Amino acid sequence: MDFVSTMPGLHWPALPGPRAIMRLGLLHQFAATQWWPVERLASMQLRQLAELVAHARKHSPYYARTLAHLPAQLDESAWRSIPVLKRDTVQEEKAALRSTHCPQAHGGRETIFSSGSTGKPIAVEQTTLTQLFWEAFTLRDHEWHARDVAGKLCSIRFFPDGSATPPQGGRGPNWGSATADLVRTGPVAMLDVRSSVDQQIAWLEREQPEYLLTHPTILDTLLRTLEDGRPLRLERLREVRTVSEALPEGLRERCRQLLGVSLTDIYSARETGYLALQCPEHDHYHLQAENARIEILDAGGQPCGPGDIGRVVVTPLHNFAFPLLRYEVGDYAEVGEPCPCGRGLPVIRRILGRQRNMLRLPDGRCHWPILNYKAMNTIVPLRQLRMIQVELERIEVDIVTTHRPDEATELRLGEEIQRNLGYPFKLEFHYVDAIPRSAGGKFEDFMSRVA
């Protein structure tokens, strides 16, 4: 790697700036902690959780009320007595969950919006410190999978600021904040996920990436075009990375067969940070124990064993601005056996969850809608939202909200939804008390019934 030096007159060995050095310090620790036995990792998590719980009881009105029963000494039994935090509660108790004080050294606060896999948008706060950890785990992922960051990265994702509008997309000078002030990287090219398959293929062949970052559903469609006999020549491609959606069975193998490269998946959530990274030697995932305590719980609230599937409950270890203690993210995962690679980081074999259904446009194009909940929440306080495409140009919108909007506000919300979908669909709004899950316990915020 070609490291960036911020010291005048010092080119080699490089001396990066203070924030980059902190990331390197974390990465150095991760190199050791990944090999710790699971018992030692759990013990160190509990020490950090004791700090977080003490802070939450003192500075968060919600936890001052709900954690009054905890003993002064936090142990595993006391930890498991803390009730699981539901998304509904995060919505309803947002002001009370927020810490009235955060250590100054943790840096400024930023509000993060997330729809999650349940279609229930929430807003939490994070700090400069939590962003630092996000960047450090990005570096771990690069290191684990031996990426040459001097290569060209292409990303097909959601870019709400309009910086990656098809067909040309957008460009950036580097791979992002995790590496920008640390090493010299290759360029990045970006294309909005709302582009058509034809636009994506033409863009990829023009850009010729060495690394591709996208959603599983986008990759699936690209691979289906290859299976249908359409050529896609990516002569420099070295790896595909997928994010943001559950990875369907068989997609890794199809990627290897059709593109000739490996697929590396990442499991993270906007409100909690990195949860699991794919093992560098196997297809399963290692929980990022240095970032969060992650519990996979059965229907009775007990920890699942290898081979069992349970709900994912997460506690970010370093967010003192908006503590989320035993927060149920809405996903399900299957617990795995200890990894043959020797790392003590716990294993999950797969993450289960819904995939967004495909939106069909009248001109024959298709794409997967990703809604800008941050923008919509500035118009209407959404508790829950689901859209069903019932006809080619008609979509029913079910909304759960604390305040039903007037006609003018509803029109603004409709315009925002149409902008997200990329077409002026006829929208029919229905205001309901709740939107039930499917019989399988899933929730989809978009479904299409158009053949």
Side-chain angles (χ1 to χ4, degrees):
M1 291 187 180
D2 187 5
F3 285 92
V4 174
S5 183
T6 60
M7 180 67 68
L10 182 62
H11 178 71
W12 181 83
L15 188 61
R19 186 172 175 84
I21 289 175
M22 284 193 284
R23 290 201 297 278
L24 285 176
L26 287 172
L27 192 63
H28 178 75
Q29 292 182 68
F30 296 165
T33 56
Q34 65 181 329
W35 304 108
W36 287 1
V38 66
E39 295 79 12
R40 186 178 180 188
L41 289 167
S43 175
M44 294 303 291
Q45 282 185 338
L46 199 62
R47 286 178 57 182
Q48 179 60 31
L49 289 169
E51 295 283 345
L52 182 63
V53 166
H55 173 87
R57 293 176 70 172
K58 184 175 181 180
H59 298 293
S60 167
Y62 174 83
Y63 289 115
R65 182 174 75 245
T66 59
L67 300 184
H69 70 283
L70 285 184
Q73 186 71 29
L74 185 69
D75 57 19
E76 289 290 345
S77 176
W79 172 253
R80 291 182 182 174
S81 74
I82 299 174
V84 169
L85 182 65
K86 305 286 189 177
R87 291 181 74 90
D88 285 342
T89 304
V90 177
Q91 288 181 314
E92 295 163 3
E93 300 278 4
K94 174 184 173 183
L97 281 162
R98 181 183 187 272
S99 293
T100 57
H101 168 77
C102 191
Q104 186 175 0
H106 289 206
R109 301 184 187 218
E110 177 187 6
T111 301
I112 301 296
F113 290 86
S114 173
S115 68
S117 60
T118 62
K120 298 181 179 181
I122 62 170
V124 304
E125 289 186 357
Q126 295 184 349
T127 64
T128 305
L129 177 66
T130 54
Q131 178 62 26
L132 177 72
F133 274 91
W134 184 290
E135 294 167 354
F137 285 105
T138 300
L139 293 180
R140 168 184 261 181
D141 188 53
H142 292 335
E143 184 176 75
W144 272 12
H145 298 283
R147 296 187 186 110
D148 179 6
V149 296
K152 184 176 185 178
L153 170 65
C154 283
S155 178
I156 305 177
R157 299 186 67 186
F158 182 47
F159 296 93
D161 59 0
S163 62
T165 303
Q168 295 301 317
R171 294 185 179 279
N174 54 61
W175 283 27
S177 60
T179 53
D181 60 346
L182 179 61
V183 295
R184 291 178 177 85
T185 74
V188 61
M190 304 165 291
L191 185 68
D192 196 280
V193 73
R194 291 166 290 185
S195 52
S196 68
V197 175
D198 288 342
Q199 289 172 329
Q200 292 165 13
I201 290 175
W203 180 81
L204 285 168
E205 290 191 328
R206 184 169 63 250
E207 295 292 345
Q208 289 298 317
E210 291 170 68
Y211 298 94
L212 172 62
L213 175 65
T214 191
H215 303 295
T217 48
I218 295 295
L219 177 62
D220 174 70
T221 302
L222 291 171
L223 295 179
R224 279 191 278 115
T225 65
L226 294 179
E227 291 165 337
D228 291 340
R230 179 168 180 174
L232 174 59
R233 297 180 179 87
L234 301 178
E235 298 172 355
R236 298 168 56 190
L237 189 64
R238 301 170 64 172
E239 179 194 36
V240 174
R241 295 158 62 201
T242 51
V243 294
S244 300
E245 297 172 347
L247 190 72
E249 292 289 334
L251 193 61
R252 284 195 179 95
E253 184 57 32
R254 289 169 63 210
C255 183
R256 292 187 184 105
Q257 290 177 351
L258 295 166
L259 293 178
V261 299
S262 63
L263 186 159
T264 304
D265 193 41
I266 299 169
Y267 181 35
S268 65
R270 191 78 175 96
E271 66 269 37
T272 59
Y274 279 95
L275 300 180
L277 297 177
Q278 186 174 316
C279 177
E281 300 175 33
H282 303 278
D283 287 345
H284 55 232
Y285 306 78
H286 284 288
L287 297 179
Q288 299 302 283
E290 303 96 339
N291 189 56
R293 169 161 284 202
I294 303 166
E295 303 169 76
I296 313 298
L297 304 180
D298 64 19
Q302 297 303 307
C304 289
D308 294 334
I309 294 171
R311 54 194 171 127
V312 181
V313 173
V314 179
T315 305
L317 297 176
H318 314 109
N319 189 351
F320 284 59
F322 201 104
L324 293 170
L325 305 183
R326 307 197 79 203
Y327 165 62
E328 186 176 333
V329 297
D331 296 328
Y332 286 78
E334 179 183 341
V335 177
E337 299 281 355
C339 187
C341 75
R343 290 174 176 83
L345 297 170
V347 172
I348 52 176
R349 195 180 78 80
R350 57 180 176 144
I351 300 102
L352 294 83
R354 63 174 179 83
Q355 300 179 40
R356 296 186 185 275
N357 287 339
M358 187 166 54
L359 172 70
R360 299 183 182 275
L361 298 173
D363 62 3
R365 293 183 296 119
C366 303
H367 68 76
W368 289 261
I370 297 183
L371 301 176
N372 188 342
Y373 280 96
K374 182 175 182 179
M376 289 193 294
N377 265 291
T378 63
I379 303 170
V380 174
L382 298 175
R383 293 288 304 279
Q384 201 173 2
L385 180 144
R386 180 181 64 188
M387 296 192 300
I388 303 174
Q389 186 179 19
V390 293
E391 296 175 1
L392 196 56
E393 298 195 43
R394 182 166 68 91
I395 292 176
E396 293 181 352
V397 184
D398 296 332
I399 291 178
V400 180
T401 179
T402 54
H403 303 288
R404 181 167 178 166
D406 57 27
E407 184 175 345
T409 305
E410 183 179 272
L411 179 62
R412 289 173 53 213
L413 178 62
E415 291 172 344
E416 175 62 26
I417 291 175
Q418 290 169 338
R419 187 185 69 80
N420 279 227
L421 298 180
Y423 185 83
F425 290 97
K426 179 182 178 182
L427 304 177
E428 295 179 5
F429 290 95
H430 304 282
Y431 297 92
V432 297
D433 294 330
I435 302 174
R437 291 177 178 267
S438 68
K442 305 290 185 180
F443 185 95
E444 295 175 337
D445 60 3
F446 179 85
M447 293 178 287
S448 177
R449 294 176 180 167
V450 179

